[in-house]
Amino acid sequence: MLSSSEPSQIKLQAANLEIRRLRAQDVPDIMEIESVSFGRHHWSEESFYNEMNNQVGRYYALIHTDINKLVGYLGFWLIADESHITTVAVKPEYRGNALGELLIGHCLDRCAQHTIHWVTLEVRVSNYSAQNLYYKYGFASMGIRPKYYQDNQEDALIMTTPNISSAEYRQLCKDLKQKLDKRLNGLPKGYGT
Ligand SMILES: CC(C)(COP(=O)(O)OP(=O)(O)OC[C@H]1O[C@@H](n2cnc3c(N)ncnc32)[C@H](O)[C@@H]1OP(=O)(O)O)[C@@H](O)C(=O)NCCC(=O)NCCS
């Protein structure tokens, strides 16, 4: 996963957004974002079609409803009491306006409804913007997977939440959700559902 620090141009509010399950017809829009976000070794169309049929997978699209265009997406697996975030990305011109946060918040809300206790992921050691997003949501660095990324042999940082059903973590999510609600003038249709 690559680092992203592009300046953002397009700011959206909750009323112009919707989160819904990913559909096969979203894949071409996703491929555009994949290639600019993850370089040559991004997921293929086939990976997304397969993942949409994965029994343990949950994949969501973030839609700019004014133009009916996908501007972000996120996927995760639910396995026993753990969830693993497999992918998350926001279209470059929409970054820096809390949409990545919206997707992560949505994921954590969904996981809490599935009696998940821990949420984990891997992120490139150089991807500070994504790491900051995860730190904001209480993920901690648990170690390194050496040479995890095949394109440049970069190490992955393994990041994990504390127990998301703990009172402390629920309070953190509540506080962040309130701030997000204020920043986006509400929460979009489909958030947490
Ligand atoms: C990572 C990504 C999804 C973040 O989406 P985003 O919409 O730009 O992020 P947000 O605006 O919601 O930012 C949320 C937090 O992330 C961190 N963050 C986001 N962009 C950052 C940047 N350029 N520099 C430093 N921190 C950043 C901040 O902590 C921010 O909180 P703040 O607004 O209180 O400062 C987006 O940059 C992206 O699509 N990157 C390419 C794909 C990728 O790397 N995915 C992650 C793979 S593990």
Side-chain angles (χ1 to χ4, degrees), residues 50-124:
N50 289 339
E51 280 298 306
M52 271 187 266
N53 290 318
N54 182 346
Q55 291 294 307
V56 300
R58 299 289 183 277
Y59 285 81
Y60 292 90
L62 178 63
I63 306 294
H64 179 181
T65 51
D66 295 355
I67 53 171
N68 196 26
K69 237 3 208 172
L70 182 143
V71 294
Y73 52 93
L74 165 135
F76 54 95
W77 293 334
L78 297 170
I79 301 172
D81 61 354
E82 272 192 46
S83 170
H84 189 86
I85 296 179
T86 55
T87 187
V88 56
V90 170
K91 206 169 181 175
E93 59 268 38
Y94 289 83
R95 287 179 192 161
N97 289 306
L99 301 188
E101 203 176 325
L102 195 61
L103 287 163
I104 293 295
H106 170 74
C107 166
L108 290 164
D109 245 40
R110 294 296 302 143
C111 288
Q113 292 165 39
H114 277 277
T115 62
I116 293 292
H117 288 152
W118 290 277
V119 182
T120 67
L121 54 83
E122 281 104 12
V123 54
R124 285 183 189 264

Side-chain angles (χ1 to χ4, degrees), residues 173-185:
C173 285
K174 195 175 163 196
D175 293 346
L176 289 169
K177 195 170 170 179
Q178 274 172 1
K179 285 183 187 151
L180 199 55
D181 185 305
K182 207 167 168 193
R183 188 164 169 192
L184 297 175
N185 215 6

Side-chain angles (χ1 to χ4, degrees), residues 30-67:
I30 287 182
M31 295 319 288
E32 277 179 32
I33 302 176
E34 277 282 308
S35 56
V36 292
S37 300
F38 299 112
R40 279 192 303 121
H41 288 251
H42 62 76
W43 280 16
S44 64
E45 289 193 10
E46 200 186 354
S47 311
F48 279 97
Y49 293 127
N50 289 339
E51 280 298 306
M52 271 187 266
N53 290 318
N54 182 346
Q55 291 294 307
V56 300
R58 299 289 183 277
Y59 285 81
Y60 292 90
L62 178 63
I63 306 294
H64 179 181
T65 51
D66 295 355
I67 53 171

